[in-house]
């Protein structure tokens, strides 16, 4: 009986992991297919994005959920390579299980071996990687490679690189490129792709009777307390005359606040205060101000872009640094977008990503983020040949180490996982993946298979480049989940686990 439980745990857990991977493996690479996702509200959505697909699965099995988590973590740490991480994880688990089952190696030994092999593989990858510079054609190539499988990838990779080059000089924080701080990406259906030099807010001004445009005026970010003071209005027994007095007070206070805001010379006011007295809004309208609400998390990037310090206290308004000049502020009324352009602060650009439907603009928006993340990782941490070529190189070097015993088991497992990337890319392109991998292995370092001709080719010459960080992070994540899965010898709630969870994931 106890024996059965053990067998069940390893099989049930690895099967769960492998079937979740099934759901995304066919999307890997430029010829990967898409998935049609249908949510509980019967909304349909076509996606090629690993994380998006995985998150849409109603996976109940805890191990299946672990796979989803590594994809999420990959997304968080690198922002690209989620499918790669999942494909490698499934392969490692499958191969690790084979050693335990067929060769009778103890799980602990297999796990130890995998840890050593993953660490060596990452070291080899790091040494193999080469740096790229902003002006190199390699930057375009990294973006194109990252977006190869996406809708209109080529067009999108162009705007990705264009926006990076526009801000790069001001995008260095702590010695590293951080494009999130200076490239905003928003999506808008039925629009056209646009790169705007400045910030675009998906907002409208407080009232359409406010001026639609301000040129060369001063701007202010207001975080002051603008709530109406009406706490004791309706006190029991309060008389009509009291209420009138209070209303007058409220009106006077609104005027005072607006006076002090305008005394700074500001003609445009971005209001981040959570609740704003209507009387204050009416004053702003009456006095010809361009004003809009902004969210708390918009304050920081806006302050950076505008070169102002947000006004939090009334006395802040006396300080000169709460306002700055801005070349142009206007509302594009047709699209409900407010443009802030030509500021005196840090350079920022906004990429507006369109799509004929909400779904396509969402998918293209995600693709742009993948491209930006890959390019950032490439500039910060170097690149390796893509298309599975770097993985084959590592495999070869690991074999040369000629390790013995446990460590050799680990190398065998990790090598299978490394190879699975190219195999899957080519299988998805309609080739016999295994055969093509053999052909690539017989070719020089850095060679893979040209996805269009099926012939061996130098991936660097073809311009297929991946950030090394994508590969090392994916390998480590795969190693970690394999360790967890192989080390579990009992699922304690085993009877309650719904085996249907696994087939659910396949759907
Ligand atoms: P992920 O979610 O792992 O990023 P993708 O679908 O984006 O998955 O595929 C990425 C893989 O596709 C990388 O291994 C990359 O090297 C490979 N790839 C991209 N373009 C090409 C190409 N033209 N030829 C061969 N492989 C390519
Ligand atoms: Mg990708």
């Amino acid at each position: 009986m106890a024996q059965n439980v053990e067998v069940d745990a390893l099989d049930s857990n690895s099967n769960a992991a492998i079937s979740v991977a099934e759901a995304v493996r066919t999307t890997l690479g430029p010829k990967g297919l898409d998935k049609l996702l249908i949510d509980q509200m019967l909304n349909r959505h076509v996606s090629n994005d690993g994380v998006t697909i995985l998150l849409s699965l109603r996976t109940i099995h805890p191990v299946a959920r672990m796979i989803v988590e590594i994809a999420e973590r990959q997304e968080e740490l690198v922002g690209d390579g989620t499918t790669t991480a999942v494909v490698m994880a499934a392969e490692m688990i499958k191969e690790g299980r084979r050693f335990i089952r067929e060769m009778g190696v103890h799980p602990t030994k297999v796990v130890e071996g995998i840890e050593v092999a993953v660490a060596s593989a990452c070291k080899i990858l790091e040494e193999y990687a080469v740096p790229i510079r902003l002006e190199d054609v390699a930057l375009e190539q990294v973006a194109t490679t990252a977006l190869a499988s996406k809708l209109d990838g080529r067009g999108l990779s162009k705007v990705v690189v264009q926006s990076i080059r526009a801000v790069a000089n001001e995008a260095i924080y702590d010695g590293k490129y951080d494009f999130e701080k200076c490239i905003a990406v928003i999506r808008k259906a039925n629009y056209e792709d646009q790169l705007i030099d400045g910030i675009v807010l998906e907002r409208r001004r407080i009232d359409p009777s406010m001026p639609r445009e301000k040129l060369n005026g001063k701007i202010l970010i207001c975080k002051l307390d603008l709530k109406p003071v009406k706490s004791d209005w309706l006190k029991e027994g309060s008389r009509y005359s009291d209420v009138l007095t209070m209303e007058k007070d409220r009106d006077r206070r609104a005027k005072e606040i607006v006076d002090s805001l305008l005394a700074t010379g500001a003609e445009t006011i971005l209001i981040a205060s959570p609740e704003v007295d209507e009387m204050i809004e009416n004053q702003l309208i009456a006095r010809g101000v361009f004003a809009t609400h902004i969210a708390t998390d918009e304050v920081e990037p806006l302050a950076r872009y505008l070169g102002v310090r947000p006004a939090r206290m009334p006395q802040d308004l006396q300080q000169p640094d709460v306002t700055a000049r801005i070349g142009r502020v206007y509302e594009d009324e047709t699209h409900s977008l407010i443009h802030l352009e030509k500021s005196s602060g840090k350079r920022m650009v906004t990429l507006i990503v369109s799509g004929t439907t909400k779904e396509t603009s969402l998918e293209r928006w995600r693709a742009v983020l993948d491209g930006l993340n890959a390019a950032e990782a490439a500039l910060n941490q170097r690149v390796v040949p893509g298309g599975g070529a770097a993985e084959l190189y590592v495999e070869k070097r690991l074999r040369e180490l000629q390790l013995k015993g446990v460590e050799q088991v680990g190398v065998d497992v990790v090598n299978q996982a490394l190879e699975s990337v190219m195999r899957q890319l080519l299988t998805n392109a309609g080739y016999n993946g295994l055969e093509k991998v053999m052909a690539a292995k017989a070719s020089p370092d850095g060679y893979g298979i040209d996805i269009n001709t099926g012939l061996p080719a130098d991936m660097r010459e073809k311009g297929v480049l991946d950030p090394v960080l994508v590969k090392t992070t994916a390998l480590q994540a795969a190693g970690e989940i394999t360790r967890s899965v192989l080390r579990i010898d009992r699922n304690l709630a085993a009877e309650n686990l719904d085996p249907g969870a696994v087939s659910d994931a396949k759907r």
Side-chain angles (χ1 to χ4, degrees):
M1 184 66 205
Q3 183 82 27
N4 274 343
V5 173
E6 269 183 36
V7 170
D8 285 350
L10 181 59
D11 279 341
S12 144
N13 294 347
S14 26
N15 286 341
I18 292 163
S19 43
V20 172
E22 284 308 317
V24 293
R25 65 192 313 141
T26 54
T27 67
L28 184 72
K31 306 274 175 169
L33 301 174
D34 296 339
K35 302 280 166 189
L36 173 66
L37 313 175
I38 298 171
D39 68 18
Q40 277 134 325
M41 311 297 292
L42 298 182
N43 293 317
R44 86 213 123 68
H45 175 50
V46 175
S47 182
N48 179 285
D49 187 62
V51 165
T52 310
I53 297 168
L54 289 171
L55 287 175
S56 77
L57 301 174
R58 281 163 294 140
T59 44
I60 307 154
H61 197 293
V63 172
R65 224 180 284 145
M66 279 160 69
I67 289 266
V68 179
E69 278 162 21
I70 67 160
E72 278 185 291
R73 203 173 53 152
Q74 177 86 18
E75 183 75 6
E76 213 179 288
L77 292 177
V78 199
D80 191 23
T82 51
T83 318
T84 305
V86 171
V87 166
M88 285 209 286
E91 197 66 25
M92 259 190 221
I93 291 169
K94 207 189 286 175
E95 203 52 23
R97 175 175 65 177
R98 197 171 67 81
F99 272 98
I100 295 169
R101 281 274 180 275
E102 292 175 18
M103 328 253 177
V105 185
H106 193 274
T108 311
K109 299 277 177 219
V110 177
V111 167
E112 277 173 23
I114 291 176
E115 278 171 2
V116 175
V118 166
S120 315
C122 289
K123 203 161 152 260
I124 296 170
L125 273 170
E126 296 284 359
E127 287 164 4
Y128 190 41
V130 297
I132 65 164
R133 283 167 312 171
L134 199 59
E135 59 277 15
D136 292 347
V137 63
L139 185 63
E140 268 99 355
Q141 294 172 334
V142 169
T144 312
T145 305
L147 296 176
S149 57
K150 314 289 177 183
L151 204 63
D152 184 29
R154 222 159 246 286
L156 289 180
S157 67
K158 273 207 191 81
V159 283
V160 163
V161 172
Q162 210 186 337
S163 48
I164 286 177
R165 294 217 171 109
V167 296
N169 290 335
E170 300 187 45
I172 298 176
Y173 292 83
D174 297 328
K176 286 198 154 129
Y177 288 106
D178 187 348
F179 297 126
E180 218 184 322
K181 285 208 164 67
C182 41
I183 301 176
V185 190
I186 62 175
R187 55 180 186 274
K188 192 104 194 130
N190 286 318
Y191 199 67
E192 67 236 49
D193 289 353
Q194 267 194 54
L195 180 62
I196 311 273
D197 208 330
I199 292 194
V200 180
L201 301 172
E202 290 174 276
R203 300 193 170 270
R204 315 205 68 159
R205 55 206 197 282
I206 285 175
D207 192 275
S209 63
M210 287 178 162
R212 210 175 66 83
E213 180 176 56
K214 289 277 180 186
L215 295 175
N216 286 318
K218 281 189 174 179
I219 190 164
L220 170 89
I221 299 178
C222 171
K223 285 203 80 183
L224 303 178
D225 177 9
L226 304 180
K227 273 200 292 294
V229 268
K230 54 180 169 189
S231 50
D232 43 20
W233 274 12
L234 294 175
K235 230 194 289 171
E236 222 177 306
S238 58
R239 281 170 309 173
Y240 182 61
S241 61
D242 292 344
V243 175
L244 267 190
T245 320
M246 268 172 234
E247 275 291 273
K248 263 198 207 120
D249 276 356
R250 187 178 157 207
D251 192 36
R252 187 164 33 82
R253 179 176 163 268
K255 278 204 185 87
E256 270 169 27
I257 290 178
V258 173
D259 279 345
S260 64
L261 288 172
L262 298 192
T264 61
E267 291 175 44
T268 301
I269 303 181
L270 307 178
I271 301 175
S273 321
E275 202 188 329
V276 183
D277 191 343
E278 219 183 305
M279 287 193 170
I280 294 181
E281 291 190 354
N282 290 339
Q283 283 289 326
L284 292 171
I285 296 168
R287 299 175 67 173
V289 176
F290 184 114
T292 182
H293 293 285
I294 57 169
T296 317
D297 59 0
E298 286 172 315
V299 171
E300 199 228 304
L302 279 166
R304 201 172 337 112
Y305 175 65
L306 299 171
V308 299
R309 191 164 58 87
R312 288 164 211 277
M313 316 285 254
Q315 57 267 35
D316 288 346
L317 297 175
Q318 319 291 327
Q319 306 300 321
D321 60 349
V322 294
T323 58
R325 274 204 189 278
I326 175 152
R328 187 175 184 215
V329 178
Y330 71 99
E331 180 178 322
D332 168 355
E333 287 177 312
T334 330
H335 299 104
S336 307
L337 297 173
I338 290 179
H339 287 239
L340 303 165
E341 295 172 12
K342 304 194 186 115
S343 82
S344 11
K346 276 232 174 198
R347 178 120 187 243
M348 273 195 79
V349 295
T350 303
L351 206 50
I352 305 181
V353 181
S354 70
T356 40
T357 64
K358 239 164 106 184
E359 288 105 60
T360 41
S361 65
L362 183 64
E363 187 71 3
R364 294 178 87 243
W365 174 78
R366 271 198 210 100
V368 164
L369 295 186
D370 274 10
L372 283 171
N373 289 325
E376 182 181 296
L379 286 166
N380 284 336
Q381 325 240 5
R382 295 170 297 152
V383 299
V384 290
E391 286 88 336
L392 282 199
Y393 170 81
V394 175
E395 181 181 346
K396 187 173 126 197
R397 291 288 315 279
L398 280 177
R399 269 191 217 298
E400 284 167 7
L401 293 179
Q402 299 204 328
L403 300 171
K404 301 232 156 38
V406 184
E407 297 188 347
Q408 187 53 49
V409 171
V411 165
D412 284 347
V413 173
V414 170
N415 276 348
Q416 276 302 316
L418 287 165
E419 214 175 286
S420 68
V421 174
M422 186 184 285
R423 207 166 58 223
Q424 192 67 47
L425 281 169
L426 293 166
T427 304
N428 291 352
Y431 298 108
N432 177 332
L434 200 61
E435 223 171 72
K436 292 296 175 193
V437 168
M438 292 303 159
K441 275 186 173 176
S443 311
D445 290 346
Y447 270 59
I449 300 294
D450 184 321
I451 209 111
N452 295 313
T453 63
L455 298 171
D458 188 330
M459 288 292 115
R460 289 159 295 201
E461 265 169 33
K462 290 272 154 203
V464 182
L465 295 176
D466 283 322
V468 68
L469 185 67
V470 171
K471 309 283 173 194
T472 49
T473 313
L475 252 177
Q476 278 157 357
E480 271 168 44
I481 190 168
T482 306
R483 178 178 62 193
S484 313
V485 171
L486 299 185
R487 283 179 56 91
I488 299 169
D489 70 347
R490 274 182 91 149
N491 289 348
L492 280 177
E495 304 96 291
N496 300 333
L497 275 177
D498 173 15
V502 176
S503 51
D504 199 28
K506 273 188 187 157
R507 242 179 266 148

